[in-house]
Amino acid sequence: MPELNVVFAGSPEFAATILNNLLDSAFAPVAVFTQPDRPKGRGRKLQANPVKQLADARQVPVEQPATLKDKTARQALASYEPDIMVVAAYGLILPPTVLRIPGYGCLNVHASLLPRWRGAAPIERAAIAGDSLTGACIMHMEKGLDTGPVYNSVTVPIDYTSTIAELEMSLAQQGSECLLEILNAFSEAKEGSGRLPKAVAQDDQLATYASKLTAADRHLNWQKSAETLARQVWALADRLPVRARLNNTGMQILQAQMVEQTDIPQNQPEPGTIVDASKHGITVQCATDLLQIKAIKIEGKQNVLGAADAMLGYAELFRPGGRFANSADT
């Protein structure tokens, strides 16, 4: 198999999983591009992201430009003479001048079934929307946002009984397998023993947009159904946990489930009202059905509390009849 010069670009854990698989393959990247170190924690010390940590551990050259729009960054990329640039959750825009540098262009490992959920947060948006299926695509990058043609893809069911972190890992692993298939095809084409792989254009009319997660996504609106809120909690638990406020006490809700309300009382409590609290969960009235909270983190505290521990330490706070503030009130 001939040498295929691959440069990798990515930043978070999702990208690190893909990079690790590449490093263990015949297509180990000759260099890694990733975002600059960011201040984190109480001391606000600069911390390397997962991709840089892995690249350093595996002794792969690392480039960390703040932008790819300047000449220096483009020259750095060109110096590696890449055949292909593999991009996965990089977080920086690749201008057309960069897309043209690799001989075969840039490939993006995107965590959705394109054209559904183009954009920054495809995994979370799919879950919040209640999709039963998602997947990973290998896309040939072009100027538009995730608009390029797709080489291949894999479908992955969304199992809401697991965690979104497990879903993300599955997408990264299965996306890696798709990527290696395409890289192998490019390698054979370069050698002359095969043809270049063909990508299929997306149907723009079917496109949906996965906007970046913001602080607004963290608010719970108790006027919505319990099913909707349970999906929101599940989708955001790993990266941006939802927030709630009860009697001036703020908290993150990290685990919750819908409880179907079969017997609706004549005087149904206002949405956001606690109707039951026990070691099994803190049950809250929603517009439709009930949301049973299973795990929380009180504002200013370090420990995550299961329902039983929450009742031991904060029984008075979670007494039935108490009412969570609505998103409009927080």
Side-chain angles (χ1 to χ4, degrees):
M1 181 177 293
E3 181 177 346
L4 191 68
N5 257 21
V6 175
V7 169
F8 182 82
S11 300
E13 195 64 44
F14 174 83
T17 299
I18 295 169
L19 173 60
N20 189 62
N21 289 333
L22 278 177
L23 289 168
D24 290 337
S25 76
F27 306 107
V30 297
V32 164
F33 279 66
T34 192
Q35 291 205 38
D37 297 352
R38 308 289 188 196
K40 287 190 176 181
R42 290 186 177 180
R44 306 304 292 167
K45 293 183 179 179
L46 290 178
Q47 182 175 326
N49 63 48
V51 163
K52 184 185 179 183
Q53 292 177 35
L54 175 59
D56 284 346
R58 300 290 290 268
Q59 298 182 322
V60 182
V62 175
E63 305 283 350
Q64 293 181 277
T67 175
L68 293 177
K69 295 179 180 180
D70 63 64
K71 185 178 180 180
T72 302
R74 296 196 297 271
Q75 289 176 334
L77 175 59
S79 70
Y80 294 104
E81 300 180 349
D83 293 310
I84 285 177
M85 186 175 190
V86 172
V87 181
Y90 183 21
L92 291 183
I93 295 174
L94 274 62
T97 50
V98 169
L99 295 175
R100 290 193 293 266
I101 291 175
Y104 294 127
C106 300
L107 304 184
N108 179 234
V109 184
H110 186 77
S112 82
L113 293 174
L114 291 170
R116 186 163 178 80
W117 302 124
R118 297 172 177 174
I123 302 174
E124 291 86 357
R125 294 300 177 196
I128 290 172
D131 292 2
S132 60
L133 296 173
T134 186
C137 290
I138 310 303
M139 178 194 70
H140 188 91
M141 297 181 70
E142 57 182 31
K143 184 178 180 180
L145 178 63
D146 299 329
T147 59
V150 174
Y151 287 105
N152 63 357
S153 63
V154 60
T155 299
V156 178
I158 300 180
D159 180 5
Y160 291 95
T161 64
S162 64
T163 67
I164 195 160
E166 290 171 326
L167 173 61
E168 183 174 297
M169 177 61 70
S170 178
L171 290 168
Q173 292 289 0
Q174 297 190 56
S176 297
E177 294 175 12
C178 289
L179 173 64
L180 292 175
E181 289 178 8
I182 296 304
L183 292 178
N184 185 64
F186 275 108
S187 180
E188 291 178 351
K190 182 180 179 181
E191 184 183 45
S193 60
R195 296 180 178 180
L196 287 172
K198 291 185 178 181
V200 178
Q202 297 183 41
D203 185 347
D204 292 340
Q205 293 184 344
L206 299 178
T208 57
Y209 179 57
S211 58
K212 182 179 179 180
L213 298 174
T214 68
D217 292 301
R218 306 184 72 174
H219 296 309
L220 285 180
N221 184 348
W222 299 99
Q223 302 291 337
K224 295 183 178 180
S225 70
E227 181 180 14
T228 298
L229 299 188
R231 291 199 306 262
Q232 183 183 355
V233 169
W234 189 89
L236 302 181
D238 190 50
R239 286 179 56 191
L240 204 68
V242 300
R243 290 173 172 167
R245 183 163 293 276
L246 178 65
N247 295 341
N248 294 319
T249 299
M251 67 194 74
Q252 296 176 1
I253 299 179
L254 300 169
Q255 185 180 354
Q257 66 183 27
M258 182 199 80
V259 176
E260 187 176 359
Q261 196 169 20
T262 53
D263 296 322
I264 300 176
Q266 186 173 2
N267 296 317
Q268 182 171 299
E270 287 290 319
T273 302
I274 298 174
V275 298
D276 186 61
S278 71
K279 65 180 181 179
H280 303 295
I282 300 154
T283 306
V284 185
Q285 180 70 55
C286 300
T288 306
D289 296 317
L290 305 167
L291 186 73
Q292 189 175 65
I293 299 170
K294 294 288 192 178
I296 63 166
K297 184 178 179 183
I298 298 292
E299 195 174 79
K301 306 295 182 181
Q302 293 297 316
N303 294 335
V304 174
L305 303 175
D309 289 332
M311 291 309 299
L312 282 174
Y314 299 91
E316 182 61 23
L317 176 65
F318 293 112
R319 61 181 176 79
R323 185 164 175 249
F324 281 94
N326 204 11
S327 58
D329 305 322
T330 58

